[in-house]
Amino acid sequence: MLQVFGRTICRNCHGVINMQVRFAGHNKWSNIKHIKAAKDQLKSKRNVMFVTRIKMAINERGGDTNPETNSMLRRILAEAKASDVPKTTIQNALKTFKTVDSEEVLVEIRLPGGISLLVEALGKNRSAVLHDILTVLKKRGGTLEKGISSQFERKGIILAEMEKLHDLDTLEEHAIEAGAEEVSVVNEEEKTCEFTTGSLDLVGVKEFLESKGYRCLDAGLTYLPNLPCSPSPVERRASSNLIDALEGCSVVIAVHPNYT
């Protein structure tokens, strides 16, 4: 059984591991810029990333463009749809799958104060990506360090607007029924809430919420820290400056810090 604000909730519904309801003031979205109100440039990069994933999924299955027989392609197409990638972009990727000119790279960066950054990037090859990122690090600080990715977990994040402001019991009930791992109230006045899902459950949870009258403002996969650190104001400011610089780098899709 699970305790939430003194109430007991059954854990055995859809494998819910952790359920928390937080209030306005806690805002994880400030650190997940590519999920909520992301810059147009980053959204465009994310679309390119999905194009690459679609093409790779097809080529790794011998040119199979049928989602019914290509399970990897089916999953990626569902994620692209949940992330609101334009249909024309998806269709073009399916038609031009033989041309794959980009490689997806995960870059691990260490900063003072126990800060770690996990950077999703896309470039011609890993060497080209690292060259561009190292150029930024020389100016802003930070070093490459292997093993940082183990400090993060891949999760689905859905920012949704409630049709009407639900009470805590209703939010908890919908999260459990949807198969979400966590639900948080982001802003009571705007009736917005955030659902966290397993990496493979994003699409199913989003569809369930929409069937319950939620309007999904944005959704996608991200990396969340297992144990968030607590940097000082100076360390946080230096990290934020580096994140801004990295996000302005043409090869960077998203930057994930290990603090909230």
Side-chain angles (χ1 to χ4, degrees):
M1 307 300 284
L2 180 66
Q3 294 291 326
V4 179
F5 287 102
R7 291 190 293 278
T8 302
I9 299 175
C10 178
R11 280 185 185 270
N12 60 13
C13 299
H14 299 279
V16 173
I17 298 176
N18 180 32
M19 185 68 62
Q20 300 173 346
V21 178
R22 297 187 293 266
F23 294 90
H26 173 90
N27 193 348
K28 186 189 305 178
W29 292 99
S30 62
N31 295 320
I32 311 176
K33 295 181 181 179
H34 69 295
I35 298 294
K36 180 194 177 190
K39 300 173 185 176
D40 289 342
Q41 183 182 17
L42 292 182
K43 281 193 172 183
S44 177
K45 291 179 183 179
R46 183 176 65 179
N47 292 344
V48 174
M49 177 186 67
F50 271 110
V51 167
T52 299
R53 288 179 179 175
I54 290 170
K55 292 181 177 182
M56 291 296 295
I58 295 173
N59 284 291
E60 288 182 11
R61 293 297 187 274
D64 184 2
T65 60
N66 185 354
E68 297 299 322
T69 55
N70 187 335
S71 59
M72 181 185 297
L73 176 62
R74 182 168 64 250
R75 175 177 58 81
I76 293 173
L77 289 177
E79 291 174 0
K81 180 182 178 181
S83 299
D84 293 325
V85 177
K87 290 182 179 180
T88 53
T89 299
I90 294 175
Q91 292 169 353
N92 288 337
L94 293 171
K95 294 176 182 178
T96 62
F97 69 88
K98 293 183 179 179
T99 306
V100 181
D101 51 12
S102 298
E103 178 182 344
E104 195 171 348
V105 180
L106 202 59
V107 183
E108 303 161 297
I109 298 173
R110 173 72 70 187
L111 289 170
I115 296 176
S116 301
L117 302 179
L118 199 57
V119 181
E120 293 182 87
L122 193 70
K124 185 177 181 180
N125 52 55
R126 183 174 181 82
S127 296
V129 167
L130 292 179
H131 176 271
D132 287 357
I133 289 181
L134 282 171
T135 300
V136 175
L137 296 184
K138 288 179 181 179
K139 296 179 181 179
R140 298 287 184 175
T143 58
L144 300 181
E145 182 176 317
K146 293 182 179 181
I148 285 176
S149 60
S150 63
Q151 302 174 14
F152 293 80
E153 192 170 2
R154 191 72 161 157
K155 294 290 184 181
I157 297 289
I158 300 170
L159 180 65
E161 181 180 80
M162 295 173 269
E163 192 173 22
K164 61 180 180 179
L165 186 61
H166 295 307
D167 58 27
L168 302 185
D169 289 328
T170 302
L171 276 176
E172 292 162 4
E173 179 183 345
H174 289 171
I176 292 173
E177 291 179 2
E181 296 178 354
E182 182 178 325
V183 59
S184 309
V185 174
V186 176
N187 189 305
E188 288 184 327
E189 292 183 0
E190 297 179 359
K191 296 184 294 186
T192 52
C193 55
E194 166 198 301
F195 292 85
T196 302
T197 79
S199 60
L200 300 179
D201 301 325
L202 173 68
V203 177
V205 172
K206 182 174 183 285
E207 291 176 348
F208 177 87
L209 294 175
E210 289 173 336
S211 73
K212 287 290 186 179
Y214 290 84
R215 186 167 74 91
C216 292
L217 304 176
D218 218 334
L221 292 171
T222 189
Y223 287 93
L224 299 180
N226 295 321
L227 294 172
C229 71
S230 300
S232 69
V234 173
E235 292 164 341
R236 184 183 292 268
R237 191 178 308 114
S239 173
S240 296
N241 290 337
L242 174 58
I243 290 174
D244 288 342
L246 287 170
E247 288 180 340
C249 187
S250 62
V251 299
V252 173
I253 304 297
V255 184
H256 311 281
N258 67 335
Y259 59 84
T260 57

